[in-house]
């Protein structure tokens, strides 16, 4: 499994994949902003992480990453110590007396 993380760290993201990811995130942002709760959450998030709500609606800042940014973040966070591995084991119906 660790090999998959290593591949991801060194892979480059295509322009199409990056644009798709940005479009998905932009759509999520607008969906969240449709509700009062979503707006409050966004304002609170900006205040906590950036210390200001000044650029809260500036999409340019939210979606300005490029392929190099993606690779830099992958190299920083995709490692053996930064992962959680879960193994899902199906229930055995016969052991529980089910047909």
């Amino acid at each position: 499994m660790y090999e998959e993380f290593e591949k991801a760290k060194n892979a480059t993201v295509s322009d199409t994949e990056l644009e798709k990811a940005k479009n998905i995130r932009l759509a999520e942002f607008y969906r969240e902003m449709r509700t009062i709760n979503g707006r409050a959450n966004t304002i609170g998030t900006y205040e906590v992480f950036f210390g200001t709500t000044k650029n809260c609606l500036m999409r340019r800042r939210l979606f300005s990453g490029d392929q190099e940014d993606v690779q830099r973040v992958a190299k920083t966070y995709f490692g053996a110590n930064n992962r959680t591995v879960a193994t899902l084991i199906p229930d055995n119906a016969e052991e529980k007396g089910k047909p």
Side-chain angles (χ1 to χ4, degrees):
M1 179 123 184
Y2 182 71
E3 294 80 25
E4 293 174 28
F5 285 101
E6 285 300 313
K7 283 185 205 174
K9 282 190 339 187
N10 299 314
T12 54
V13 177
S14 71
D15 289 334
T16 305
E17 289 174 313
L18 185 59
E19 192 64 31
K20 181 179 177 182
K22 287 180 180 183
N23 288 340
I24 289 169
R25 181 60 189 111
L26 183 60
E28 289 171 354
F29 178 78
Y30 281 125
R31 271 193 295 277
E32 185 173 320
M33 295 301 287
R34 287 192 324 201
T35 67
I36 274 296
N37 185 47
R39 287 183 214 136
N41 185 43
T42 299
I43 290 169
T45 299
Y46 268 79
E47 188 65 37
V48 168
F49 289 110
F50 303 114
T52 182
T53 59
K54 182 180 175 186
N55 296 322
C56 187
L57 298 176
M58 300 297 283
R59 292 187 319 253
R60 180 174 17 129
R61 185 172 183 180
L62 287 173
F63 307 104
S64 62
D66 58 14
Q67 285 94 340
E68 289 80 25
D69 291 327
V70 172
Q71 194 158 29
R72 177 183 49 78
V73 170
K75 285 182 180 180
T76 301
Y77 295 105
F78 286 1
N81 295 327
N82 295 337
R83 64 186 172 136
T84 301
V85 177
T87 304
L88 302 176
I89 302 170
D91 287 338
N92 189 343
E94 290 178 24
E95 287 182 5
K96 292 185 176 186
K98 295 180 182 177

